Amino acid sequence: MKKKLLIIVLLVFQYSEILSQIITIDTAKFFIEYDYSYRIKKGFDQYVNELISLYIGNNSSISQTSNAFKSNKILREASKNGLNLFNTKGRTMSKVHVYTVHKIHDSLFVDHTLPKIKFKTPSYNFEWEIKKDKKIILGYECVKAEGQYGNRKFIAWFSIEIPISDGPYVFNGLPGLILEIYDENNDHIFTAKRKEISNEEIVQSFGYFKYRKPGKWIQKEKEKYKNLINTGRISYFGHIQNIDNDSPERREELLIRASLTNSIEL
C-alpha cells in the first residue's frame, strides 16, 4: 500500500513538473489547416491522410498534427480547472505519426512521435528558386518555388497576398505563406484547406521529454538519427536495435526495411 502511494505521489510530482514546463510563448494571429497526404513506404501506392494545424504568431509559430493539438489543449484546460490529468476521455488518436514543429526566431524545434525523434536546429536554408508559374489556392494567387530539404526536392506554392514567411512543418523562407507544398515524388503533400483569424495560445513544452525513460526516446542530432535508421539500427517505432549479433539473414531483412523508410526527414 505504501509503495503504491509513493508511486502515485511521484507521478503527480512529475506531471506537476511537466506542466511547469508548458509556457505561453506567443499568441496566434492566423490559423491555417492543411491536408497532409503521406506515402507509407517508398515505391508503394498506399497513402494515409492527416489534418495539420499551423498557428502563426508575431514571433513564432507551431505546426502540429491537428488531433495532437486538440488533445494537448484538452489536457491544458483540464489542468487549469484542477481536473484529473490521468483521465484521457475525449482525447483523439492521430492516424499518422504525431509531430510538433516550433519555429521560434531563427531556430526550429522538431519533435516526432513515430518514429521517435526530437532535435533542435537552426532554421533550414531551402535556397528557394522562384518560378513564373502561378495558380489560385483558397482564392489567393500563388507563385511556384522549388527548394531542397534533406534528400528531397520540394515544390512550393506561396502567396505574397499573405506576406508571412511560413508554412506547414519546417517549411518557410519565402516572401509569402506556403499554401501547398509537395516533394517531386509526391511522397509528402501538404495542401491548405482553410485560413482563419485566431487568438490561440502558442505554448512551448519541451521539458516533457526529460521525463521519458532512457532508451524510450531518441534525442539525438538529426544526422545521427538518419544514420541509425539507414543502417537498420532503429525501428520505425524508434527503438534502437543491436543488429551486430543478428544472423546475416536478419540483418538483410532490417536493411531492406530501412531502405523502404519514407520519413519526410530522410
Side-chain angles (χ1 to χ4, degrees):
M1 183 67 183
K2 289 183 178 180
K3 185 176 181 180
K4 289 183 179 179
L5 181 60
L6 178 59
I7 291 172
I8 292 173
V9 171
L10 288 174
L11 285 172
V12 171
F13 174 75
Q14 284 191 341
Y15 274 87
S16 298
E17 287 294 302
I18 289 168
L19 289 173
S20 70
Q21 300 292 326
I22 301 177
I23 58 173
T24 300
I25 57 175
D26 207 343
T27 300
K29 298 186 298 182
F30 298 103
F31 160 70
I32 302 91
E33 187 172 63
Y34 296 83
D35 178 67
Y36 174 36
S37 296
Y38 166 65
R39 193 194 305 268
I40 297 175
K41 294 181 180 179
K42 294 177 183 176
F44 288 73
D45 291 331
Q46 185 179 3
Y47 283 82
V48 288
N49 292 82
E50 185 70 276
L51 291 176
I52 302 298
S53 295
L54 172 63
Y55 290 91
I56 303 172
N58 291 312
N59 303 307
S60 64
S61 67
I62 180 171
S63 179
Q64 189 173 44
T65 312
S66 295
N67 281 338
F69 188 91
K70 293 174 184 176
S71 297
N72 291 337
K73 186 175 180 179
I74 288 171
L75 290 178
R76 293 202 307 273
E77 293 301 318
S79 67
K80 288 179 182 178
N81 295 319
L83 299 180
N84 183 6
L85 292 174
F86 301 102
N87 181 2
T88 58
K89 183 179 179 180
R91 295 187 67 183
T92 52
M93 295 298 293
S94 172
K95 293 178 291 183
V96 195
H97 56 271
V98 178
Y99 79 76
T100 301
V101 176
H102 283 275
K103 303 184 184 91
I104 304 174
H105 302 298
D106 295 324
S107 294
L108 288 170
F109 298 82
V110 181
D111 159 23
H112 281 274
T113 303
L114 291 176
K116 296 183 177 77
I117 174 176
K118 170 175 172 277
F119 61 85
K120 174 186 176 183
T121 182
S123 291
Y124 196 86
N125 181 10
F126 296 94
E127 298 183 351
W128 295 111
E129 182 180 350
I130 297 176
K131 305 293 185 177
K132 294 182 179 180
D133 311 62
K134 295 181 180 180
K135 70 175 181 178
I136 303 296
I137 302 174
L138 293 182
Y140 296 98
E141 183 180 78
C142 295
V143 180
K144 183 179 181 181
E146 296 178 353
Q148 194 82 14
Y149 180 60
N151 295 322
R152 299 181 188 272
K153 178 182 178 182
F154 278 88
I155 295 90
W157 293 89
F158 69 97
S159 178
I160 59 175
E161 295 176 7
I162 312 174
I164 300 171
S165 183
D166 213 328
Y169 195 56
V170 300
F171 302 107
N172 63 86
L174 285 164
L177 182 65
I178 297 172
L179 293 179
E180 185 175 66
I181 186 165
Y182 46 88
D183 67 285
E184 60 182 348
N185 295 320
N186 285 321
D187 287 335
H188 298 269
I189 306 166
F190 297 84
T191 305
K193 294 298 183 183
R194 61 188 175 114
K195 171 183 173 290
E196 300 175 354
I197 302 296
S198 174
N199 61 356
E200 283 282 351
E201 292 181 342
I202 297 177
V203 301
Q204 173 270 105
S205 56
F206 305 115
Y208 173 77
F209 294 91
K210 70 181 181 180
Y211 296 103
R212 291 288 179 175
K213 293 180 180 179
K216 292 292 185 181
W217 292 80
I218 294 173
Q219 300 185 23
K220 295 181 178 293
E221 293 299 322
K222 184 176 171 182
E223 291 304 316
K224 292 179 182 178
Y225 166 79
K226 288 170 64 176
N227 181 61
L228 283 170
I229 200 167
N230 285 333
T231 56
R233 294 178 181 274
I234 178 174
S235 71
Y236 179 76
F237 291 98
H239 302 298
I240 297 176
Q241 303 173 128
N242 184 0
I243 66 174
D244 296 328
N245 297 323
D246 285 340
S247 66
E249 293 79 13
R250 173 62 174 164
R251 287 201 297 270
E252 182 178 358
E253 177 189 349
L254 292 172
L255 287 172
I256 290 174
R257 289 185 185 180
S259 70
L260 296 175
T261 299
N262 205 27
S263 169
I264 195 170
E265 291 297 330
L266 301 178

